[in-house]
Amino acid sequence: MIPINNPSNSIQERVNSRIIAVKERDDQRVTNVARYLSVGALFFLIIIGSKSHISGHHFHGNILFLFAAITLVNLVNYHFRQNKRFYQNTFIFMVGVLFLYLTASGGESNTGPLWFYVFPPLGFYILGIRYGLILSIGAVGAVLVIFFFPEIPFVTTEYDSDFKLRFIATLSFVTACAYILDDARRTAKNELIDMATLYEYAARTDELTSLSNRRDMKECLDKEFYRHQRSNSYFSIIIMDIDHFKRVNDTYGHDAGDAVLKEFSSLLKGLSRKIDVVSRWGGEEFLMLLPDTSLLQALTLAERLRAAVENHTFNYKFETIPITMSAGVCAVSQYEDINRILKQADINLYEAKVKGRNRIEPAVKSFTNPKMTT
């Protein structure tokens, strides 16, 4: 049984997938903000462009209509292609070029530069700290060029010295504040994500054995059953129990019992595949989820586990503790309900206990091929 293109079922990878989903939602939120701003910009560009035409400023009106057309094309392109990064970069580039044009032309009554105040916060929010800072410094530099080199061909207006000094000072101040606030926001967000990662991992892990706990296993079972319903894949489960575990605690002490549980868990993990999920189901009971595994293959693995446990030497403080296990096996081919599968595996485990322990149920006459390809 060789799994092909199956991802690892480690707890850390499941936690990472949840964190990646959170980050993707945050990135989508940024894109949605940019879309709302684009719609607002489209509306105002058309209104102000129309006003410019009515006032006789046809060139200025046509430029504003051009930016409105670019905004519309970017929105339509994103709607069909869903390329978030391209959409965000195009949006912020278009905004920067528009604000440079308004600064170079003066806009209406030389108020064009005032639009630049919204650029640094927008750049940091959409592009992040690093690229937002580069873009903001570049914008301040471009404004300085426009202010102090009015003879450049595309610059069609001039500003008095007091305005230039105050504008550069205030724009630099806005840029610094936007950097500090966005850096604080992102730092706090990353700290929360790190904390959430830690708690998510702890919530899925059994503290003693570091295996999946019951909560995590239930989620894995639900996902695997959903995959079975969607793609007709198959899977099996094994419920295992350490025989006479109470006797171990009573004879050797609870610390010895904990040591046995840890070593037993390591043994199960070592004999499982990457796609399998091994969990501490409760007390001395363990459950193994085996994706893409038939009933016969699961029985073969269960027998390997039973033999490995029987032949393994469990030591605690120089004392050897004899350990065996019993197991019940069930496959999805037997029942089309996850609760029935669990119940039947539990019934099989109970039957193995009744028949003398250190055995697997349902029993097969022989295991001619005791190896599973992993």
Side-chain angles (χ1 to χ4, degrees), residues 41-69 98 101-102 108 115:
L42 183 64
F43 173 77
F44 283 108
L45 285 169
I46 293 173
I47 295 298
I48 298 174
S50 301
K51 179 178 176 296
S52 297
H53 274 291
I54 294 172
S55 302
H57 302 136
H58 299 295
F59 178 79
H60 182 63
N62 288 335
I63 292 294
L64 295 181
F65 283 158
L66 175 63
F67 279 106
L98 173 61
Y101 163 73
L102 292 173
E108 292 285 339
W115 286 98

Side-chain angles (χ1 to χ4, degrees), residues 123-234:
F124 285 121
Y125 182 75
I126 293 178
L127 299 181
I129 291 295
R130 181 181 177 185
Y131 292 108
L133 183 61
I134 292 172
L135 199 65
S136 296
I137 291 173
V140 172
V143 171
L144 284 171
V145 170
I146 293 172
F147 279 178
F148 294 102
F149 297 94
E151 66 276 7
I152 296 175
F154 66 86
V155 179
T156 58
T157 188
E158 286 192 46
Y159 303 92
D160 61 63
S161 299
D162 286 342
F163 177 82
K164 288 189 285 188
L165 179 62
R166 286 174 172 78
F167 181 77
I168 292 298
T170 53
L171 181 60
S172 300
F173 180 77
V174 168
T175 300
C177 286
Y179 173 85
I180 293 169
L181 292 174
D182 201 70
D183 180 62
R185 180 183 71 86
R186 291 178 185 274
T187 299
K189 183 185 74 173
N190 290 334
E191 288 176 353
L192 287 172
I193 288 176
D194 290 342
M195 190 179 298
T197 302
L198 181 63
Y199 285 139
E200 180 73 13
Y201 185 84
R204 292 176 176 271
T205 309
D206 177 66
E207 185 178 3
L208 178 66
T209 63
S210 297
L211 296 178
S212 294
N213 59 18
R214 194 180 186 97
R215 171 182 178 270
D216 185 61
M217 175 55 85
K218 283 183 176 180
E219 184 177 312
C220 292
L221 286 168
D222 288 339
K223 286 182 179 179
E224 192 62 33
F225 189 71
Y226 174 74
R227 190 170 78 94
H228 161 72
Q229 291 178 315
R230 185 183 58 192
S231 58
N232 202 31
S233 62
Y234 52 95

Side-chain angles (χ1 to χ4, degrees), residues 26-27 30 41 44 47 52 55 87 90 98 110 116 118 138 152-153 156 219 262 364:
D26 185 65
D27 191 43
V30 171
F44 283 108
I47 295 298
S52 297
S55 302
Y87 173 77
T90 302
L98 173 61
N110 267 15
F116 247 115
V118 305
I152 296 175
T156 58
E219 184 177 312
K262 289 180 183 179
V364 292

Side-chain angles (χ1 to χ4, degrees), residues 208 245-246 248-263 314-317 319 321:
L208 178 66
F245 185 72
K246 185 177 183 301
V248 173
N249 283 329
D250 293 341
T251 305
Y252 302 96
H254 288 281
D255 288 343
D258 288 347
V260 167
L261 289 172
K262 289 180 183 179
E263 200 163 346
F314 290 84
N315 291 317
Y316 180 74
K317 290 184 177 181
E319 289 192 83
I321 305 175

Side-chain angles (χ1 to χ4, degrees), residues 3-22:
I4 301 175
N5 295 329
N6 279 312
S8 169
N9 261 330
S10 71
I11 300 174
Q12 190 60 59
E13 289 194 0
R14 288 197 293 281
V15 171
N16 290 343
S17 68
R18 292 283 294 270
I19 300 303
I20 289 171
V22 170

Side-chain angles (χ1 to χ4, degrees), residues 234-238 273 276-277 288-293 298 301:
Y234 52 95
F235 68 91
S236 299
I237 65 168
I238 304 173
R273 305 165 300 171
D276 299 333
V277 184
M288 185 179 287
L289 169 63
L290 308 171
D292 302 323
T293 305
L301 174 58

